[in-house]
Amino acid sequence: MRIAISGAGVAGTALAYWLHRTGHTPTVIERAPAFRSGGYMIDFWGVGYTVAGRMGLEAQILDKGYQIDSVRTVGADGHTLATLDANVFRDLLGSDFTSLPRGDLADTIHSTIAEHVEMIYGDSITAIDEDDDCVRLTFGRSGPREFDLVIGADGLHSNVRRLVFGPDADFEHYLGCKVAAVVVEGYRPRDDLTYMTYAVPERQVSRVALREDRTLALFVFRDASPDVSDPNAQLHNRFADAGWECPQLLAALDAVDPGDLYFDVVSQVRMNHWSRGRVLLIGDAAGCISLLGGEGTGLAITEAYVLAGELHRAGGDHRRAFDAYEARLRPLIEAKQSNAQQLLGFFATRTRFGLWLRNLAIRALNLRMLTHLVAGTVRDDFDLPDYGI
């Protein structure tokens, strides 16, 4: 089938890989003028890691990844308040675990399709018209085209979802937090292979050293308003007086091209159905668990594999494939969304007493006998099919 994919992120490129591998002709449409890297640091494990292995990408991902030693929480003067040995997670998850910038993972997947799949950059879908035989797409710049299916893999603020299912407000649920991520050059100190984090009530900032003398900084803060205009001003307003290295990190952020700053709301997408006719949503467009859930990228890769597998198994019957896809994945996504809501208090704790309790919990997790208490939030309760593809 001719399948249009809106979005050249992890979900879209992974889906294009599997569709091409199973004999379809995918076309990826991306509104950005070129492939985008960058973004925040992710921990990569679980079923998404397994799918990446089936794509033959494990060695490349490990080469780009970082084997973080510890997570260290510090006070305003830099003294250590709590440290978590990263081997706690490796004990829970096994050796299939690494940390890497989201853009590096996206670039690894993109490299598998760059020479085989049509990629349309600098354009977006403006209208979707369906009949019994095909879907006709109208574009902002290109001429209209017909496809057999359309897949919205265009993220939290999905354009395809808006065109087919309705306005964002019907599906996006703002969790009362915002997040910013930026990579800066030459920042000191570095603290290699340590995830450094500092928190005051309702605000947290973290940094992790990257190769080539780069540092990735992550800001999370509570805010009643979902407005994302003027991100630098919002970050200065919330973190300028927060203490620790916040003034230095803000100064480094100001020196970065504004286009290299990731800034967005922390939200979830909840929908009763992920498909309508010949159009289906995957990844964050259908069931964003929120950045704080920690596994959205791995889930997107899993969803891409399952969708391609169900289309292959259904022999071209898209309705049967779409229904099987949703029935298989919805319980997993809803469970992950529930876990992510519980983690909100960890990233943006409301009170000083809450911060004290959080640090106590971090120290306690180093006791291996207690790690089973969090196993359900990090392990994937999902039987990954083998579609023979």
Side-chain angles (χ1 to χ4, degrees):
M1 290 184 286
R2 300 160 301 163
I3 303 177
I5 303 170
S6 177
V10 168
T13 52
L15 178 60
Y17 168 87
W18 287 109
L19 291 176
H20 178 264
R21 180 162 161 170
T22 51
H24 300 290
T25 304
T27 295
V28 180
I29 303 121
E30 169 59 49
R31 66 181 179 181
F35 179 76
R36 294 180 296 183
S37 58
Y40 44 87
M41 180 74 83
I42 63 169
D43 295 319
F44 189 48
W45 77 89
V47 288
Y49 192 105
T50 301
V51 173
R54 294 183 184 181
M55 298 170 73
L57 299 179
E58 181 178 12
Q60 295 179 56
I61 290 170
L62 288 175
D63 185 58
K64 293 181 178 181
Y66 298 79
Q67 298 305 305
I68 300 296
D69 291 332
S70 63
V71 179
R72 187 188 309 165
T73 301
V74 298
D77 60 358
H79 73 280
T80 299
L81 299 175
T83 300
L84 176 62
D85 184 350
N87 286 320
V88 166
F89 294 105
R90 295 186 180 96
D91 290 345
L92 282 174
L93 303 168
S95 59
D96 295 345
F97 177 90
T98 191
S99 302
L100 75 167
R102 188 178 188 276
D104 288 357
L105 178 59
D107 182 61
T108 302
I109 297 171
H110 175 260
S111 68
T112 66
I113 65 168
E115 297 181 4
H116 308 288
V117 171
E118 180 185 17
M119 307 285 291
I120 300 174
Y121 288 105
D123 209 345
S124 61
I125 301 168
T126 58
I128 300 176
D129 299 297
E130 179 179 341
D131 59 31
D132 292 340
D133 299 318
C134 69
V135 185
R136 185 177 178 84
L137 300 185
T138 304
F139 296 92
R141 298 179 60 185
S142 309
R145 292 177 61 174
E146 292 182 351
F147 294 89
D148 297 297
L149 302 176
V150 175
I151 309 299
D154 41 0
L156 173 62
H157 310 294
S158 168
N159 178 49
V160 170
R161 188 183 65 229
R162 210 161 33 241
L163 290 170
V164 176
F165 295 88
D168 292 347
D170 290 350
F171 309 108
E172 287 189 25
H173 296 264
Y174 179 52
L175 299 185
C177 272
K178 296 174 186 173
V179 61
V182 65
V183 174
V184 299
E185 306 280 346
Y187 186 85
R188 294 293 183 275
R190 280 183 57 80
D191 300 290
D192 290 325
L193 299 181
T194 300
Y195 199 86
M196 300 291 295
T197 181
Y198 167 75
V200 294
E202 301 193 338
R203 292 165 286 174
Q204 176 174 296
V205 61
S206 308
R207 61 168 169 81
V208 61
L210 305 179
R211 299 180 184 94
E212 300 175 356
D213 201 18
R214 299 171 300 148
T215 294
L216 189 149
L218 181 73
F219 301 82
V220 180
F221 63 97
R222 289 187 185 267
D223 195 335
S225 169
D227 173 45
V228 291
S229 63
D230 202 350
N232 283 55
Q234 290 198 42
L235 292 169
H236 276 273
N237 181 53
R238 289 307 184 102
F239 288 94
D241 62 349
W244 189 51
E245 299 174 11
C246 289
Q248 297 163 244
L249 288 166
L250 290 171
L253 180 153
D254 289 341
V256 172
D257 187 301
D260 293 331
L261 172 65
Y262 171 88
F263 185 70
D264 207 350
V265 294
V266 176
S267 296
Q268 292 186 337
V269 172
R270 303 172 201 154
M271 304 181 69
N272 292 329
H273 301 285
W274 295 341
S275 67
R276 180 170 292 171
R278 293 176 172 270
V279 179
L280 174 82
L281 304 175
I282 73 167
D284 284 353
C288 178
I289 66 171
S290 87
L291 177 145
L292 303 185
E295 202 180 353
T297 304
L299 291 173
I301 294 173
T302 302
E303 292 169 42
Y305 170 75
V306 171
L307 176 56
E310 293 296 343
L311 284 168
H312 180 73
R313 181 174 286 177
D317 184 344
H318 72 274
R319 188 68 270 156
R320 176 182 157 201
F322 286 1
D323 290 345
Y325 165 83
E326 184 164 346
R328 189 179 294 278
L329 282 165
R330 183 174 284 277
L332 174 66
I333 299 303
E334 290 181 347
K336 294 296 182 180
Q337 287 184 326
S338 177
N339 289 337
Q341 291 181 63
Q342 298 174 34
L343 288 171
L344 185 62
F346 177 87
F347 287 96
T349 311
R350 290 188 181 278
T351 67
R352 292 194 178 278
F353 179 67
L355 289 170
W356 179 82
L357 285 176
R358 189 191 76 160
N359 292 336
L360 181 65
I362 290 172
R363 291 192 292 269
L365 285 174
N366 289 294
L367 302 173
R368 299 301 195 269
M369 67 183 69
L370 297 179
T371 56
H372 70 280
L373 295 176
V374 300
T377 64
V378 295
R379 287 179 179 159
D380 292 329
D381 183 17
F382 183 73
D383 184 16
L384 185 69
D386 184 350
Y387 294 104
I389 58 178

